[in-house]
Amino acid sequence: MGIPKQKTLNNKTLSARIDALPASAGLWRFIILLSLGGFFELYDLFETGYISSGLLAENIFHIGTAGVFGISDQAAFASSTFLGLFFGASLLAPNADRFGRRMTFMFALAWYGCFSLLMSFQNTAEGIILCRFLVGVGLGLELVTIDTYLTEWVPSHMRSRAFAFAFFIQFLSVPAVALMSWWLVPQTFFGLTGWRYVVIAGALCSLVVWIVRKNLPESARWLAQQGRHEDAHNVVSAMEKRCGVSNSPAYIAEESPAELPRKGTFREIWSPEYRKRTLMLTVMNFFQAIGFFGFGNWLPALLSGKGTTVTHSLLYAFFITLAYPLGSLICSRYADKIENKWQIVLSSLMTVVFGTLFALQTHPVMLVICGFLITYSNAWLTFSYHAYQTEVFPTHIRARAVGFCYSFSRLSTVFSSILIGLILQYAGTQGVIAFIVVSMIIVMLVIGIFGPKTRGINLENI
């Protein structure tokens, strides 16, 4: 009995067309549109620390054993966020492989926007913490989907640069939420306290972006992997037109044996072909989160431990956090000129060097300079590993594998936050910095020794 024939589009031709897209205004507009979703995700994520004072002032949150779970409601609020991120990234991210990047992307954006809006009208700690967990689920799913979406549409010659610029836009949310909270949290308008407006602003803007982004194209690579070759051809042709390519090739189908779309499974990410990469990225995510959130979330406390007042600590912290967007913008100028795995190693080394110097400083100016450079290195590390971990897995398991590995950074944050608090109490600032430095050395070794090269290589050949 003969093998049935079907018409398929050559996947190499499709990849070559994507890699040939010019770095035009049309392609950058697409990248910016994707990045806006990430802006409001990080806005939502970083608002955790800024709105807690308003919740305490309104007597919704309580400290110590008076909290809902016998611990501070602020701690439960933060933990529920990261627990939601863990579940969203690990359990729901595979849906991006099943239903497509665009649909999952839009679903996650609407999900966390709606639950964030619902959270702003809660009047009990229980209601806020539950809504925050659900918001975290949407955030975890969205972050993984954006990374896979961006990797599959951006040409190989500008992948790292595109991620650096995307995180420049996303990290603008850090000073934005800080300024919004500084202005709104102490206020009351129309009977609603200010912290609610901080949450409402992020939720409504994310829903506006949802409307604007309804016209985003599906990932052509995902469509081809699903056997929808003509649809893949059409979306690539539309992107070529958007990028100013005047002559797109006509759709020419090839006769080949019919193949069912390849469905990824959890077991496959542990197959001999991908096991080493899965383990490498799981370890990397676990320990890089200690450096990123360990320094970022505890910065005011670390500065206070160096002898600065609370007011000065917050002021210094604001200037230091400006390095998140500025660092990403500066890095976008050279991101494509260095192998991605070595960018992860170099940025981790930078954290080690300036983290050690930070622990030795007492002068305010030197504290700010060292803190700024640590934050710069964290921004560099962030876009590098987000780009890298989406490059090293194939399309049919990309979201599933990245979601699983990335979820360990969320799980790490829950435990490391408790551990850093204990270290700060018993070993001081130097002890915390030492903990962060050791974590970054582990990241350097794991990626430097086991990480494959990806710079300028077509996704299908990595």
Side-chain angles (χ1 to χ4, degrees):
M1 184 175 180
I3 299 175
K5 301 284 186 177
Q6 70 171 5
K7 292 188 175 182
T8 64
L9 179 65
N10 189 299
N11 197 46
K12 291 184 179 179
T13 303
L14 178 74
S15 299
R17 288 172 65 186
I18 293 174
D19 279 347
L21 290 173
S24 62
L27 184 58
W28 283 111
R29 280 195 295 270
F30 171 78
I31 293 169
I32 290 170
L33 199 55
L34 277 180
S35 304
L36 286 175
F39 176 97
F40 291 109
E41 289 162 39
L42 291 185
Y43 175 100
D44 217 309
L45 187 58
F46 277 93
E47 78 184 12
T48 302
Y50 290 103
I51 67 173
S52 293
S53 60
L55 288 159
L56 285 168
E58 200 173 339
N59 291 318
I60 295 175
F61 275 7
H62 300 88
I63 60 174
T65 56
V68 173
F69 300 107
I71 60 173
S72 167
D73 285 327
Q74 290 172 275
F77 184 64
S79 296
S80 67
T81 303
F82 286 103
L83 195 60
L85 284 161
F86 172 76
F87 280 107
S90 61
L91 299 182
L92 297 186
N95 287 318
D97 288 334
R98 181 180 180 185
F99 298 111
R101 314 318 189 201
R102 181 184 178 278
M103 181 182 293
T104 307
F105 185 77
M106 301 299 294
F107 171 79
L109 184 61
W111 173 284
Y112 81 73
C114 289
F115 279 110
S116 191
L117 191 62
L118 181 63
M119 186 184 80
S120 68
F121 293 101
Q122 298 301 307
N123 294 306
T124 65
E126 294 91 338
I128 289 173
I129 291 169
L130 174 60
C131 286
R132 190 61 180 171
F133 169 78
L134 294 171
V135 167
V137 171
L139 292 176
L141 175 58
E142 180 83 345
L143 284 166
V144 173
T145 307
I146 284 179
D147 288 351
T148 57
Y149 210 162
L150 193 58
T151 291
E152 291 172 2
W153 260 123
V154 174
S156 59
H157 64 86
M158 58 176 290
R159 274 198 303 262
S160 294
R161 180 155 46 110
F163 268 88
F165 186 78
F167 273 95
F168 159 66
I169 293 175
Q170 292 177 43
F171 277 137
L172 286 173
S173 63
V174 182
V177 72
L179 290 175
M180 286 281 288
S181 301
W182 171 76
W183 172 45
L184 289 172
V185 168
Q187 311 294 328
T188 298
F189 302 102
F190 307 107
L192 291 178
T193 46
W195 71 266
R196 299 179 188 273
Y197 286 99
V198 174
V199 177
I200 289 170
L204 290 181
C205 288
S206 68
L207 294 176
V208 170
V209 173
W210 185 87
I211 296 171
V212 172
R213 297 197 308 189
K214 286 176 67 177
N215 295 322
L216 281 175
E218 179 56 88
S219 164
R221 282 185 160 97
W222 181 81
L223 288 169
Q225 193 274 321
Q226 295 296 305
R228 297 166 56 182
H229 299 285
E230 189 167 3
D231 290 337
H233 166 80
N234 290 336
V235 295
V236 172
S237 297
M239 182 62 81
E240 287 172 331
K241 183 177 180 180
R242 178 185 295 190
C243 294
V245 177
S246 54
N247 295 313
S248 296
Y251 175 66
I252 301 175
E254 297 181 357
E255 295 290 336
S256 65
E259 294 181 5
L260 293 174
R262 191 174 178 187
K263 303 293 185 182
T265 63
F266 180 74
R267 178 180 295 179
E268 189 170 357
I269 73 174
W270 295 103
S271 65
E273 188 175 2
Y274 304 116
R275 184 188 303 138
K276 187 169 73 173
R277 298 182 181 190
T278 301
L279 286 171
M280 171 192 69
L281 291 174
T282 299
V283 173
M284 185 274 293
N285 271 290
F286 188 90
F287 286 99
Q288 66 79 19
I290 294 172
F292 184 90
F293 288 103
F295 187 80
N297 290 356
W298 288 87
L299 181 58
L302 294 175
L303 288 166
S304 295
K306 301 294 290 184
T308 60
T309 64
V310 173
T311 302
H312 282 104
S313 295
L314 293 174
L315 178 63
Y316 296 162
F318 174 74
F319 284 113
I320 289 171
T321 55
L322 289 176
Y324 284 124
L326 290 177
S328 298
L329 183 61
I330 294 169
C331 287
S332 69
R333 307 304 301 169
Y334 62 79
D336 284 320
K337 296 178 174 61
I338 306 173
E339 180 65 51
N340 231 350
K341 64 176 284 185
W342 297 124
Q343 292 196 65
I344 296 173
V345 171
L346 289 172
S347 59
S348 299
L349 177 61
M350 188 173 175
T351 300
V352 169
V353 172
F354 289 103
T356 303
L357 289 175
F358 182 91
L360 300 175
Q361 300 305 316
T362 55
H363 194 279
V365 174
M366 291 305 298
L367 283 172
V368 171
I369 291 173
C370 290
F372 185 93
L373 290 170
I374 294 172
T375 307
Y376 180 103
S377 67
N378 277 342
W380 186 9
L381 171 65
T382 299
F383 82 76
S384 298
Y385 86 77
H386 273 271
Y388 189 68
Q389 65 187 7
T390 56
E391 293 174 320
V392 299
F393 292 107
T395 299
H396 70 284
I397 60 168
R398 182 168 288 122
R400 179 186 299 275
V402 171
F404 174 79
C405 296
Y406 183 65
S407 68
F408 278 83
S409 68
R410 311 300 92 179
L411 197 62
S412 167
T413 307
V414 176
F415 296 111
S416 64
S417 294
I418 298 170
L419 190 55
I420 286 174
L422 293 173
I423 294 173
L424 187 62
Q425 181 180 349
Y426 293 105
T429 301
Q430 285 82 359
V432 174
I433 295 298
F435 180 51
I436 292 172
V437 164
V438 170
S439 298
M440 290 297 99
I441 290 174
I442 293 173
V443 171
M444 291 169 58
L445 292 174
V446 167
I447 297 297
I449 295 172
F450 300 106
K453 293 181 178 180
T454 61
R455 179 174 174 260
I457 302 175
N458 185 285
L459 283 181
E460 282 69 29
N461 297 325
I462 295 174

